[in-house]
Each structure stands twice: as structure tokens, then as C-alpha cells.
Amino acid sequence: MTRTDPVVSVRDLNKRYGDFAAVDGISFDIERGETFALLGPNGAGKSTTIEILEGYRDRTDGQVSVLGTDPRHGGLDWKARLGIVLQSTGESGNVTVREQLRHFAGFYPHPRDVEETIAAVGLEEKATTMIRKLSGGQRRRVDVALGIIGRPELLFLDEPTTGFDPEARRQFWDLVRNLKAEGTTILLTTHYLDEAAQLGDRAGIIVGGRLVDIGAIGEIGGADARVPLVRWREDGELREERTEHPATLVARLVAASGTEPHEVEIVRPSLEDVYLQLVRSAGVEPIAEEALAS
Amino acid sequence: MTTLNPTLPAGHTVRLGVSRIGYELKSYFRLGDTVFFTFLFPVLMLSIFAVAFSDLPFGTADGTEISAAAYYLPGMLAAGLLLSGVQNLAVDIAIERGDGTLKRLAGTPLPVFSYFIGKIGQVLVTGTLQAALLLTLARFAFGVELPTDPQSWLTFAWVFVLGIITSAVLGIALSGVPRSGKSATAVVIPIALVLQFISGVYLPFTQLPEWLQNFASLFPLKWMAEGMRSVFLPESFAAMEVGEAWNLPGVAIALGIWLVAGLVLCRFAFRWIRKDS
């Protein structure tokens, strides 16, 4: 592959379990150096897709190329170029953070410095602590450290910040930005839409195994979805109107009624709002997702 | 699986395998329950038998009598081989498959062979320490006379090495049987326990009905136990064996067949993860 070929290329990907299509005809590319966010409700097929790309699952149909290789036939030299942070881990962890990282560093031809990596995930004070004695968020940081220890060209992050406190998440975002600056290509899945907005260049939204939208983070959902929304209460009824000129609309409301409108608000749709609307219009009620994302 | 390219230097597999041994040993001795149930178990059993039957003489028709500790030592050494290899690895690897350890390793460039080297090396080291502990305990706590001729120790060496490696390889092969990490001990321990009862570890082998003897002879533990008896029991005890002699060629052949079968199973049946589960 040349430098300009996509790092990840997926065409008409299908994964069936009996009659159930977990992934139903997905296509997308990820360019070198890009951070691509894969978003969608639980069970939409995000993890299935990512695990097919990582070589953990076989696909039913379609073409997949990761770093120029079909993941079904990815050898050790291919794996040496990947970094994988799985969605869940539960190892017994009878080694210390430093022992684990030092050991894993030995697997790779050009590993990152162990102490630097420990510092990058903010675990300096836990370096000599057994992994099993760490909190959930700290263990997650070990997962991230193990994902980047081999200096991967392509990094898979499957819900990497679950269990992080807000400060740890900010720290993690800085880490990802540094990796990006080094030229790492990143495939991210997350339930935190602000995280996707902060880190992603482009996003794809999967609902029910299908890609319902794909595009630059600022353009997902189309221009209409981003038109500001004005909400207010009139005669006890909640009213809302989309307009490119929200301030003008509010001024008109004031002029018309001569008083302050009730409960007035101007909302510029965030990625989260756009996402929720897309998921709803695809026929899935994302209540659980709202709860998770808030 | 073993394609080498310039980024992963030759000798990589062995070098990583050696680094795995150290890592595995560290993890092993930090886990209290495996240390107790596989490492110290034969030591504990030998102590119980030695104390419980301390007044009973164990003898042959020609009048040679030995203590309970001396009588049970070879059986416990053989049980140690089985526990350190088969039981330990089958449970350990099934748990690692269940808790995500293997899934993580599968996503790294660690060769499967390096992983095997790590496990087998861990078994070799723990098995050796276990045997040393058993021999020391037997000699100094229970006054068992150990053989002094080099020939006996040479026999011990090959039965031990062949036994422990076969046992380790079979442990890796058996690790694919439990459907989950949680069920691993429930599947593996009964197999190991039944084998110990029918293979002459706890009960004198020749007192078993012939069909059961024949059945037990299909499995490696019977042969490990017989090999160990030939080393540590007085020559006159050979009269109580099947065929009234130590069948050392049989020991070598049976263990050799199991070793090859185990290697083939490991090579072709071992998977890091169950795909699509």
C-alpha cells in the first residue's frame, strides 16, 4: 500500500448470526492520520465492526482492508502495527503496571518508552501497584497504555474512557491529540458525544447495523440539522422554531407580546443533539443512550 | 503464524518465550489458590498419609517393609506432575480465555509459540520445585531412605522430564474443553482426581479390578506413577506390579505417545479466543 491509500477500507461489510444481521452493508474509509469516530446506540454493530477490523471476528460478506491487509489473514507483523484497546477487560492482573507494560513492550519492534507511557496515561504513582488493585478507571488507563506501547500506526479505541472521572477524560483527550500529532490513525467508538466532537475529524453513525450518516464532525446530519432552535412557552404550550436568525426571532417575540417570552432558550444543536435526532429518525428510541451520555 | 519479517527478528519467538516464563512464574506464585491446590497439594497429601498411617507397615510377600511415607512418595511425585501440568495449565488457560487475557494477547504480535514456551517453562520450574520439596520433606521430616545409585536418579530424571512436559502439553490441549473460565475447575479437577484414584497414586494399582487397570493404562498418570515407583520403592516391590516387573519401556512409550498427541492437539486445536462467541 502507498502512503495515500486509506488505512482502513470497508466495503459492504456484513455480519450475520443466523437470521440476525449485526452489521448490514457498511462501507467507509479511514485516511492516514485521521481520527474517525464510530457512533451508535448499544447493539448497533459498532463493536462487531471494530472486532472484524481487529481480526477477532470473521465477516459474513464484504471487503475489508486494514493497513493493506485482510484482517482474516493478518500475521504477527501486521499486529505489530496495530494498537487495540478492547471494550472490556477483566484480567486477574497479578503484575504491577510497570511489569505489565515492560512485558508488553517486548512484543513490539519499536516500542514506546515504558516510563513515558506510564506518565502519558497519568499512572506514575501507581507504577508499582498490582493491576488488580487499581480502580476501574485506572485499569482502563492501563488498557490504553497497553494499546499505545507498541507505537501503533492504527489505534482502535473501543469506548476508551468508560469509568474515567472528568479530569481523567480531559487528560486522555490530550493524550489522543498527542498521538494524532504523531500521525497515528485512530478509530474511536464512544458513548460520549462531546468526546467524539473533541477528538474526531469525521464520524459515522451506525443504527441497527447500517451506517445512517457519515461525514466531518461539523457536518454530520446535514446543514439543516444544525440550524439553531428557539424554544419558548406561549399560552402554556411549548413552541419551537428553527431559524438561522434566532436573535431576530426572539426580538420579534418580545415586540409582539410586549413582554419577556416564557422559558425562552436558543439551542445550537451539538453533535449530541444531531446524533439523537439521527438515531430517532432511524427508528430507535435512544433513551438508554441519553442516560449514558449525560 | 510464524512468518518472520525484518521488523520481527529471528529468535524473537524464543526470546519472548523466555520472557513469558518469568512473567508466568511471577503471576503463578502471586495467586494464593493455585499455589495451594496444585503446588502444595501433593506435599500436603504426603504429610497426611505419612502421619495417618505412621504405625502401618507397607510390605511385600518377601517381608520387606517400608513406611507409609516411603510407600506414598512415588505416587505423590506422579500426582505432582499431573497437577503442575494438566490441572494447573488446563484451568489457568481456560480462565485466561474467559477473562480476556488471551483476547488481549491475540491482538499483540506475541507468537502463540512464545506463549506455550512461557506456560511449559512455568510448569517445568514449579514442577521441579514441587518435586524438590516432596523429596526434602520425605527425607528429612519422615526419614524416607532415598536411592543412592546414579541409575535410579537417571531413571527419575527422564521419567520426571518426560512426565512434566507431557503433562504441560496435555494441560494446554485440555484447556479448550471448559466452555468458560468459571467452569474450568469443575471440569478439570474431577478428571485429575479420578485419574489419581485409578492410577495407583492413592490406592495400590494391583488391587484395582483388571478392567479398571486396563482403563487406567490408557492414561499417562498410571505410567508416571509406575516410573516413580521403580525409582523409589525397593526392588522386591516390583513383584506387586502388573507383569511382576517395572515396565519402564512401557512408561517411555505411553508418555511418548501422549506427548506427541498433545503437541498435535496444541498445534491444531489451540485458539486464542472462540471466534463469534
Side-chain angles (χ1 to χ4, degrees):
Chain A
M1 74 187 279
T2 66
R3 299 286 303 177
T4 55
D5 283 339
V7 171
V8 173
S9 171
V10 177
R11 287 290 170 276
D12 304 318
L13 179 63
N14 271 275
K15 176 67 186 177
R16 279 171 203 292
Y17 298 97
D19 286 341
F20 173 66
V23 177
D24 192 6
I26 285 179
S27 300
F28 63 91
D29 284 344
I30 305 176
E31 304 299 332
R32 188 166 290 275
E34 188 178 39
T35 299
F36 184 79
L38 208 49
L39 310 173
N42 285 331
K46 300 187 301 285
S47 285
T48 306
T49 303
I50 209 169
E51 291 205 343
I52 289 170
L53 301 186
E54 290 163 344
Y56 284 122
R57 285 172 198 269
D58 290 332
R59 59 187 184 269
T60 311
D61 205 2
Q63 286 90 52
V64 177
S65 162
V66 173
L67 293 169
T69 299
D70 183 337
R72 274 195 295 216
H73 310 298
L76 296 178
D77 41 349
W78 177 74
K79 289 183 187 173
R81 298 162 67 198
L82 301 180
I84 298 177
V85 177
L86 293 163
Q87 193 178 104
S88 62
T89 47
E91 300 150 78
S92 49
N94 266 309
V95 289
T96 68
V97 173
R98 182 176 286 133
E99 284 169 347
Q100 182 81 334
L101 280 165
R102 208 168 265 166
H103 181 64
F104 274 68
F107 300 172
Y108 295 89
H110 311 292
R112 211 175 282 274
D113 181 74
V114 169
E115 301 306 320
E116 258 174 44
T117 310
I118 292 174
V121 296
L123 285 176
E124 296 101 319
E125 281 164 25
K126 299 288 175 187
T128 55
T129 304
M130 293 281 180
I131 293 173
R132 72 179 141 86
K133 292 196 176 140
L134 299 177
S135 71
Q138 289 167 339
R139 286 185 73 144
R140 201 69 190 125
R141 295 199 226 175
V142 176
D143 293 338
V144 172
L146 291 171
I148 64 172
I149 190 74
R151 226 181 271 281
E153 281 174 58
L154 170 62
L155 177 62
F156 294 100
L157 297 170
D158 201 352
E159 297 181 15
T161 57
T162 308
F164 279 28
D165 57 46
E167 200 196 327
R169 284 179 71 209
R170 293 285 182 302
Q171 230 178 18
F172 172 78
W173 292 355
D174 287 338
L175 169 65
V176 171
R177 289 190 190 106
N178 288 337
L179 294 171
K180 207 171 139 68
E182 289 172 19
T184 313
T185 309
I186 298 168
L187 173 50
L188 168 77
T189 77
T190 180
H191 277 304
Y192 303 101
L193 279 295
D194 57 333
E195 185 161 285
Q198 286 284 335
L199 302 177
D201 298 311
R202 283 193 309 137
I205 297 179
I206 299 186
V207 180
R210 290 174 169 278
L211 200 60
V212 296
D213 201 4
I214 182 167
I217 290 285
E219 291 163 13
I220 278 275
D224 290 349
R226 291 178 189 272
V227 173
L229 189 69
V230 179
R231 279 201 197 108
W232 73 99
R233 195 173 284 279
E234 197 175 293
D235 303 331
E237 236 176 86
L238 196 62
R239 306 274 306 271
E240 56 176 45
E241 200 174 315
R242 282 185 180 278
T243 169
E244 293 288 358
H245 310 289
T248 312
L249 173 60
V250 173
R252 215 176 60 221
L253 288 171
V254 175
S257 65
T259 63
E260 176 78 12
H262 291 291
E263 297 174 33
V264 68
E265 55 178 352
I266 299 176
V267 185
R268 264 173 208 286
S270 64
L271 177 61
E272 183 160 336
D273 298 316
V274 175
Y275 163 82
L276 290 174
Q277 196 157 14
L278 274 169
V279 171
R280 274 199 202 99
S281 61
V284 178
E285 200 51 47
I287 294 164
E289 299 303 303
E290 281 176 308
L292 274 170
S294 57
Chain B
M1 186 186 84
T2 47
T3 45
L4 291 171
N5 79 353
T7 56
L8 296 172
H12 178 78
T13 302
V14 174
R15 185 179 59 76
L16 277 186
V18 173
S19 107
R20 289 292 303 171
I21 297 176
Y23 179 90
E24 296 280 6
L25 282 169
K26 240 183 293 192
S27 308
Y28 179 90
F29 282 109
R30 285 174 185 170
L31 268 180
D33 53 349
T34 57
V35 171
F36 187 79
F37 281 107
T38 68
F39 189 74
L40 294 179
F41 191 73
V43 174
L44 188 75
M45 292 307 282
L46 180 68
S47 306
I48 290 173
F49 285 129
V51 173
F53 304 136
S54 58
D55 293 337
L56 285 181
F58 288 77
T60 55
D62 77 346
T64 318
E65 282 186 357
I66 57 172
S67 69
Y71 183 79
Y72 278 108
L73 176 64
M76 293 309 128
L77 283 165
L81 295 177
L82 185 82
L83 294 176
S84 291
V86 175
Q87 178 170 313
N88 166 31
L89 284 195
V91 171
D92 180 35
I93 297 174
I95 288 175
E96 286 191 347
R97 187 173 284 118
D99 70 15
T101 306
L102 295 194
K103 188 168 184 182
R104 195 201 292 283
L105 291 177
T108 72
L110 177 74
V112 175
F113 237 55
S114 306
Y115 176 78
F116 288 171
I117 293 173
K119 289 293 181 200
I120 294 170
Q122 182 241 74
V123 169
L124 263 174
V125 173
T126 57
T128 304
L129 289 175
Q130 186 180 53
L133 198 60
L134 274 169
L135 291 172
T136 308
L137 185 80
R139 175 70 191 84
F140 295 104
F142 304 119
V144 175
E145 296 278 342
L146 298 181
T148 48
D149 59 311
Q151 185 55 43
S152 293
W153 287 106
L154 196 69
T155 307
F156 172 76
W158 76 252
V159 172
F160 178 82
V161 172
L162 185 60
I164 196 88
I165 292 177
T166 302
S167 185
V169 166
L170 290 175
I172 296 173
L174 190 64
S175 72
V177 174
R179 297 302 297 180
S180 74
K182 288 195 184 92
S183 66
T185 48
V187 172
V188 174
I189 289 182
I191 296 176
L193 204 60
V194 168
L195 280 181
Q196 289 172 64
F197 273 101
I198 65 172
S199 299
V201 168
Y202 300 136
L203 311 172
F205 189 68
T206 42
Q207 286 181 10
L208 301 175
E210 202 183 323
W211 65 268
L212 196 54
Q213 288 184 15
N214 292 338
F215 179 69
S217 301
L218 296 175
F219 300 98
L221 183 58
K222 180 260 175 189
W223 300 99
M224 296 180 199
E226 181 163 347
M228 287 298 175
R229 285 197 297 273
S230 81
V231 174
F232 293 99
L233 295 188
E235 198 48 51
S236 59
F237 276 67
M240 304 206 310
E241 294 291 321
V242 177
E244 296 181 15
W246 314 112
N247 184 1
L248 285 177
V251 172
I253 291 166
L255 292 182
I257 290 172
W258 273 103
L259 177 61
V260 171
L263 285 172
V264 170
L265 273 174
C266 288
R267 173 67 183 79
F268 294 104
F270 181 86
R271 293 284 177 274
W272 285 122
I273 56 166
R274 292 183 200 283
K275 278 198 179 181
D276 298 330
S277 62

